Amino acid sequence: RPYVRTAGLFFAVSVASYYLFTCCWKLVLGVQKRGQKICEVRLFTGEGEYLLKALLDTGNVLNDPVSGDMVSVIGKDTAMQIFQGMTTEKMAGLGLRYIPYRSVGNEGVLPIVRVEKMCVQVEGERWIMRPVIGISGQNIEERQEYQMILNPDIVGGAKK
């Protein structure tokens, strides 16, 4: 009899610990997903339409200092695919300029262009006319999960 009571108590503590651990794990995953949300973006240039996966990054607060517009960033490989056939005159027509930026352990200048329009699929469609796109000198395509880092203010701010 004394062993049955101890075994029952051990079983009850084990079950409670399992449910507590499961709830904590779901909470951690939920917080992580809130900070990193991947969505679909259709980017329209004079040359065509491009479907990209974008990371809605609450840490991206990059703005164009001249116009005040939000800047979303694409990686080097993605930029080469999108702008590969464009001449320097066409790139100049997109308003190619350079803006200063600072990231973790890195700072410099970032080339930016304006494209025709962009459609972001986050809780419905959100159309942005003449968005500013920064072209990173490095690849941001982490395991091919996304090709763009989207400024959260484009879809209504970091809270969304």
Side-chain angles (χ1 to χ4, degrees), residues 4 15-16 21 36 40 52 59-60 63-64 77 85 97 111-112 118 126 129-130 136 138:
V4 171
V15 169
F21 177 76
Q36 290 189 348
E40 260 187 22
L52 306 173
N60 179 6
N63 288 336
D64 178 8
D77 287 347
R97 296 189 289 114
I112 61 169
M118 179 169 66
R126 169 106 175 158
M129 304 310 274
R130 307 268 308 139
S136 175
Q138 303 169 354

Side-chain angles (χ1 to χ4, degrees), residues 36-55:
Q36 290 189 348
K37 187 172 187 176
I38 296 183
C39 58
E40 260 187 22
V41 172
R42 287 186 300 167
L43 201 61
F44 296 85
T45 66
E47 303 294 313
E49 176 183 341
Y50 301 90
L51 184 63
L52 306 173
K53 295 285 186 183
L55 172 68

Side-chain angles (χ1 to χ4, degrees), residues 28-129:
V28 167
L29 289 178
V31 168
Q32 183 182 17
K33 280 187 179 182
R34 257 186 259 146
Q36 290 189 348
K37 187 172 187 176
I38 296 183
C39 58
E40 260 187 22
V41 172
R42 287 186 300 167
L43 201 61
F44 296 85
T45 66
E47 303 294 313
E49 176 183 341
Y50 301 90
L51 184 63
L52 306 173
K53 295 285 186 183
L55 172 68
L56 187 60
D57 185 12
T58 57
N60 179 6
V61 293
L62 188 60
N63 288 336
D64 178 8
V66 175
S67 67
D69 291 337
M70 291 81 54
V71 178
S72 297
V73 181
I74 59 175
K76 182 172 67 172
D77 287 347
T78 303
M80 288 175 70
Q81 291 173 358
I82 293 174
F83 303 115
Q84 69 182 352
M86 289 193 181
T87 61
T88 52
E89 292 83 26
K90 280 192 177 182
M91 287 297 284
L94 293 176
L96 177 64
R97 296 189 289 114
Y98 293 86
I99 61 169
Y101 78 94
R102 184 179 310 148
S103 65
V104 179
N106 202 3
E107 63 182 69
V109 291
L110 183 72
I112 61 169
V113 294
R114 278 196 186 273
V115 295
E116 287 180 9
K117 58 188 171 182
M118 179 169 66
C119 179
V120 182
Q121 300 281 339
V122 175
E123 299 167 2
E125 286 186 349
R126 169 106 175 158
W127 287 90
I128 298 93
M129 304 310 274

